[in-house]
């Protein structure tokens, strides 16, 4: 098995070309050779007819066979000399030779043999053939009025035509292999040249590791197939680079977020243990700090785990039928508890019964993220409003708050993992503990239900988020 595509392409190309060249060479050679012999035969036939006409004419002129034949013999020599000097001619009547050119003398026996072999019995019979000495003969039997039937035989050495045909054959025998050799060389060069970009692509890709994902394959001609291949590789590299960068950032952000509660808990423990004896209240206080940080860690790890599983498609939706309006009423009650601590009211617009088939616990988590944020970022005296609407194909949950709004420059990034506009202000014990994962998870939940989660508007008087579900998910 030949591994090089260059060699295989060249071999295939040369094989096809060889078959075509050999076949067409053979056909052309046979046609040309046949036509050379046809030309020779028609020359010989013409000579016979000219001689026959002059014999008939001489017999007619001299009004007697004997005198006519005698005159014909001298005419024959003149005609032969002037018209067809390279052909020998014999004229026979029965066993009698009526006339012959000098060349024909030496070929008389084969000529007679040919005449016999041709069996020229009919009045206008004709035959062609070869003599033993390599002469081509044409014989014609013609009846001359008042003199009977004559056989005219014209011959010519085959060597002339043969020489041409042999030269033709030699040209083919030499030309075809040379043409095949040249085309093999040309084909190999072309294949090598066309495949050179593939080699460059392979060599470049070979050198790319996870540390050099910013390298790109050179695109020589973007319009051709190899240019398309190189561009496809580059797009793949771009996606890989993005994915690696995302993972790297996630790891860096995650370790940063994990480090904070661990160091707070560690410091609280260390400070408490510095003194050999502490009061019970002091131990309790330290344990409360440690417990708070452990809860934060637990939620963080749970959220990271959920997102990691979501990324790999390993979170199955546990769908069940439930009433969306009831779920919103329950989450609103929970949000009211949070809001009451800082004087933020949570209002639920009147809504119709809304039966839904979805993953209830994930939908609850998503709504809680939106409500927790709405309460968390509203200042005292603020107001959070929840509204459920339904059109032909969707349910829409709107969560509106009277918070400070999200700066225009940050709005596009709030759904990014670990992104926080102001890290110090976003701590909460309800969702991800203010690590910047809440909206990422909420958006994933919406999308996993073939829905969307968007920030509808946000300005200094508040923000409005909208989660939408196709009604195909809900009945
Ligand atoms: P966090 O846990 O920090 O709240 P999120 O992913 O839920 O993380 O939100 C990302 C960032 O978006 C928050 O840090 C906050 O700056 C901003 N944000 C989200 N919701 C609101 C809101 N209702 N009002 C103002 N800012 C918000």
């Amino acid at each position: 098995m030949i591994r090089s595509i260059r060699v295989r392409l060249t071999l295939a190309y040369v094989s096809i070309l060889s078959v075509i060249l050999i076949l067409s060479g053979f056909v052309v050679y046979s046609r040309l050779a046949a036509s050379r012999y046809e030309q020779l035969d028609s020359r010989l036939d013409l000579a016979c007819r000219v001689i026959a006409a002059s014999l008939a004419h001489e017999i007619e002129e001299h009004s007697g066979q004997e005198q006519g034949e005698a005159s014909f013999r001298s005419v024959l020599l003149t005609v032969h000399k002037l018209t067809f000097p390279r052909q020998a001619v014999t004229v026979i009547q029965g066993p009698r030779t009526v006339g012959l050119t000098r060349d024909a003398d030496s070929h008389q026996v084969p000529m007679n043999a040919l005449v016999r072999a041709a069996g020229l019995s009919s009045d206008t019979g004709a035959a062609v053939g070869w003599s033993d000495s390599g002469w081509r003969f044409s014989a014609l039997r013609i009846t001359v009025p008042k003199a009977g039937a004559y056989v005219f035989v014209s011959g010519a050495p085959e060597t002339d035509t043969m020489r041409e045909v042999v030269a033709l054959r030699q040209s083919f025998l030499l030309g075809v292999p040379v043409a095949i050799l040249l085309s093999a060389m040309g084909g190999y060069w072309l294949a090598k040249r066309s495949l050179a970009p593939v080699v460059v692509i392979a060599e470049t890709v070979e050198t790319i590791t996870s540390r050099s994902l910013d390298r790109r394959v050179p695109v020589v001609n973007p319009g051709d197939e190899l240019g398309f291949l190189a561009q496809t590789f580059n797009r793949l590299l771009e996606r890989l680079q993005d994915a690696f960068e995302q993972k790297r950032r996630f790891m860096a952000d995650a370790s940063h977020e994990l480090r904070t509660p661990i160091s707070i808990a560690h410091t609280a423990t260390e400070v408490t243990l510095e003194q050999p004896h502490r009061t019970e209240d002091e131990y309790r206080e330290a344990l409360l700090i440690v417990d708070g940080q452990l809860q934060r860690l637990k939620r963080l790890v749970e959220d990271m785990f959920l997102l990691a599983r979501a990324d790999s498609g390993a979170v199955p939706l546990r769908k069940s039928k439930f009433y969306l309006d009831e779920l919103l009423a329950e989450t609103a009650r929970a949000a009211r508890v949070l809001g009451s601590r800082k004087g933020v009211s949570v209002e639920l617009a009147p809504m119709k019964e809304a039966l839904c088939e979805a993953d209830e616990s994930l939908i609850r988590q998503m709504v809680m993220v939106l409500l927790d944020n709405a309460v968390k970022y509203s200042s005292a005296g603020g107001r959070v409003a929840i509204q459920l609407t339904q059109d032909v194909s969707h349910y829409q949950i709107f969560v509106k708050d009277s918070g400070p709004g999200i700066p225009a420059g940050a709005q596009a990034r709030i759904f990014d993992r670990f992104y926080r506009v102001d890290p110090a202000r976003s701590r909460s014990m309800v969702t991800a503990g203010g690590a910047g994962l809440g909206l990422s998870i909420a958006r994933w939940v919406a999308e996993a239900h073939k829905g969307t989660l968007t920030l509808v508007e946000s300005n200094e008087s508040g923000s409005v988020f909208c989660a939408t579900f196709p009604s195909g998910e809900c009945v």
Side-chain angles (χ1 to χ4, degrees):
M1 176 76 180
I2 301 165
R3 289 186 59 200
S4 160
I5 292 183
R6 266 174 289 181
V7 177
R8 271 188 299 178
L9 269 181
T10 312
L11 280 181
Y13 166 69
V14 167
S15 313
I16 294 168
L17 194 79
S18 305
V19 171
I20 294 172
L21 277 179
I22 290 169
L23 276 181
S24 54
F26 179 74
V27 170
V28 170
Y29 166 75
S30 328
R31 296 288 300 264
L32 279 176
S35 106
R36 303 310 286 157
Y37 283 110
E38 275 163 22
Q39 279 173 12
L40 177 62
D41 287 346
S42 68
R43 276 208 313 274
L44 295 174
D45 183 67
L46 184 67
C48 289
R49 288 180 194 281
V50 169
I51 302 296
S54 64
L55 176 62
H57 179 259
E58 292 305 319
I59 290 173
E60 178 84 43
E61 278 279 294
H62 293 85
S63 17
Q65 188 177 5
E66 212 169 306
Q67 294 93 317
E69 282 180 1
S71 171
F72 163 73
R73 274 191 278 279
S74 59
V75 170
L76 172 65
L77 293 178
T78 315
V79 172
H80 172 249
K81 204 167 165 186
L82 295 176
T83 323
F84 26 83
R86 293 187 59 76
Q87 292 176 31
V89 177
T90 306
V91 183
I92 307 156
Q93 187 168 55
R96 187 170 66 87
T97 301
V98 178
L100 78 169
T101 60
R102 209 151 24 93
D103 301 344
D105 206 11
S106 54
H107 299 283
Q108 194 166 2
V109 176
M111 279 192 182
N112 286 338
L114 176 74
V115 172
R116 274 200 306 281
L120 298 175
S121 53
S122 77
D123 211 26
T124 55
V128 287
W130 297 102
S131 82
D132 293 343
S133 49
W135 278 55
R136 179 80 172 164
F137 288 100
S138 173
L140 199 64
R141 181 191 164 97
I142 291 179
T143 303
V144 176
K146 298 181 218 150
Y150 289 86
V151 174
F152 300 86
V153 183
S154 169
E158 188 224 4
T159 42
D160 289 355
T161 308
M162 199 53 194
R163 220 177 288 129
E164 281 178 39
V165 173
V166 166
L168 195 68
R169 193 166 60 215
Q170 276 170 350
S171 313
F172 276 119
L173 287 178
L174 192 75
V176 169
V178 169
I180 290 174
L181 187 74
L182 286 178
S183 61
M185 284 159 63
Y188 185 77
W189 178 79
L190 260 182
K192 190 174 168 186
R193 216 181 117 87
S194 325
L195 291 173
V198 178
V199 177
V200 175
I201 292 173
E203 282 171 359
T204 312
V205 172
E206 185 75 25
T207 59
I208 295 176
T209 64
S210 58
R211 287 170 195 280
S212 57
L213 279 172
D214 55 336
R215 285 200 65 186
R216 291 291 174 270
V217 170
V219 181
V220 182
N221 185 355
D224 68 11
E225 289 85 346
L226 294 180
F228 180 63
L229 179 69
Q231 285 168 318
T232 309
F233 261 117
N234 284 344
R235 282 194 292 273
L236 172 71
L237 286 170
E238 220 162 276
R239 288 197 295 274
L240 279 177
Q241 190 183 7
D242 281 354
F244 260 75
E245 180 53 26
Q246 219 177 345
K247 288 272 174 277
R248 195 198 56 73
R249 220 180 308 126
F250 187 78
M251 289 295 287
D253 290 341
S255 17
H256 178 76
E257 288 300 327
L258 291 170
R259 205 182 303 134
T260 313
I262 290 173
S263 61
I264 293 174
H266 179 63
T267 310
T269 321
E270 229 174 24
V271 169
T272 310
L273 292 176
E274 257 170 20
Q275 305 288 328
H277 298 291
R278 292 271 187 195
T279 63
E280 194 189 326
D281 281 351
E282 284 171 331
Y283 281 125
R284 188 172 288 278
E285 196 183 331
L287 279 176
L288 274 174
I289 294 171
V290 171
D291 184 52
Q293 296 309 313
L294 284 178
Q295 280 190 44
R296 192 173 149 196
L297 265 180
K298 182 171 169 266
R299 281 180 202 116
L300 191 57
V301 169
E302 274 170 6
D303 284 345
M304 281 167 52
F305 187 55
L306 177 66
L307 280 173
R309 282 168 58 229
D311 282 350
S312 58
V315 185
L317 293 188
R318 294 197 176 81
K319 286 190 184 176
S320 62
K321 285 185 182 171
F322 62 93
Y323 287 95
L324 196 54
D325 52 309
E326 281 179 11
L327 182 142
L328 291 178
E330 283 165 26
T331 46
R333 271 198 294 280
R336 250 176 231 127
V337 175
L338 293 172
S340 63
R341 289 185 202 155
K342 55 187 292 192
V344 174
S345 67
V346 177
E347 291 161 22
L348 191 64
M351 50 187 73
K352 284 192 282 179
E353 202 173 66
L355 184 60
C356 182
E357 186 173 27
D359 188 318
E360 188 177 352
S361 109
L362 288 178
I363 296 287
R364 187 183 299 275
Q365 194 169 350
M366 179 193 74
V367 175
M368 250 352 267
V369 168
L370 297 178
L371 289 180
D372 179 52
N373 280 347
V375 171
K376 188 164 61 180
Y377 297 109
S378 294
S379 36
R383 177 176 167 269
V384 173
I386 309 161
Q387 194 187 358
L388 175 68
T389 61
Q390 183 183 1
D391 64 18
V392 186
S393 55
H394 291 86
Y395 279 123
Q396 288 113 357
I397 303 168
F398 289 92
V399 176
K400 186 173 186 305
D401 66 59
S402 56
I406 299 159
Q411 288 181 9
R413 299 197 55 200
I414 53 170
F415 294 97
D416 290 354
R417 291 170 191 188
F418 294 111
Y419 180 78
R420 286 170 298 181
V421 178
D422 177 3
R425 288 189 56 209
S426 62
R427 296 275 174 258
S428 162
M429 299 306 284
V430 179
T431 57
L437 291 179
L439 286 178
S440 316
I441 291 176
R443 178 168 265 185
W444 168 75
V445 172
E447 287 173 357
H449 286 81
K450 299 192 180 74
T452 56
L453 174 63
T454 50
L455 173 64
V456 181
E457 63 170 322
S458 187
N459 50 44
E460 57 284 350
S461 54
S463 310
V464 182
F465 284 88
C466 175
T468 305
F469 299 88
S471 53
E473 294 292 314
C474 306
V475 281

